[in-house]
């Protein structure tokens, strides 16, 4: 029987202290990507949009539209362009308006 289960029965606490205190296991969670605008080119933006299985990325001219609400944090975009995409480390993504989850990232790299 797992130790945390026995401890929870003894103390009457069966969950972590999150959100009052950060949960250490959160560091292990996959999180949506963050982008380095100066490393993004139109070509890179098109490539990462093409590998995104949830259609969360879309290039609009010299901007990359990122729908965080559609992102599953699969990591394919970061694997495709690790120089331009990294993990955000952010998993608390609740918003009161759907539109707040759509981000626009300027494409500042390469030959535009
Ligand atoms: S992490 Fe996956 S779902 Fe999210 S934007 Fe990148 S490819 Fe798309």
């Amino acid at each position: 029987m797992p130790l945390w289960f026995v401890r929870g029965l003894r103390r009457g606490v069966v969950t972590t202290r999150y959100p009052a205190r950060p949960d250490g296991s959160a560091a292990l969670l996959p999180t949506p990507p963050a982008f380095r605008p100066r490393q993004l080119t139109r070509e890179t933006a098109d490539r990462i949009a093409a590998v995104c299985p949830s259609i969360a990325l879309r290039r609009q001219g010299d901007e990359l539209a990122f729908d965080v609400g559609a992102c599953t944090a699969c990591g394919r975009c970061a694997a495709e362009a690790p120089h331009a995409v990294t993990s955000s480390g952010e998993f608390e993504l609740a918003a009161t308006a759907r539109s707040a989850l759509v981000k626009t990232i300027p494409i500042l790299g390469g030959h535009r």
Side-chain angles (χ1 to χ4, degrees), residues 24-90:
S25 64
L28 306 173
L29 294 173
T31 58
F35 302 92
R36 298 183 181 105
R38 294 190 188 291
Q39 301 300 319
L40 276 176
T41 62
R42 282 182 165 190
E43 185 268 338
T44 304
D46 287 340
R47 274 195 297 119
I48 61 178
V51 299
C52 178
S54 58
I55 315 173
L57 298 171
R58 188 167 23 101
R59 184 172 68 80
Q60 297 172 322
D62 288 333
E63 294 177 332
L64 179 67
F66 176 36
D67 184 348
V68 187
C71 176
T72 60
C74 71
R76 289 187 187 181
C77 53
E80 178 68 23
H83 63 291
V85 186
T86 186
S87 179
S88 67
E90 181 60 60

Side-chain angles (χ1 to χ4, degrees), residues 7-22:
R7 194 180 308 140
L9 286 177
R10 263 196 221 127
R11 295 181 184 172
V13 177
V14 293
T15 60
T16 69
R17 298 192 191 286
Y18 179 84
R21 284 189 359 207

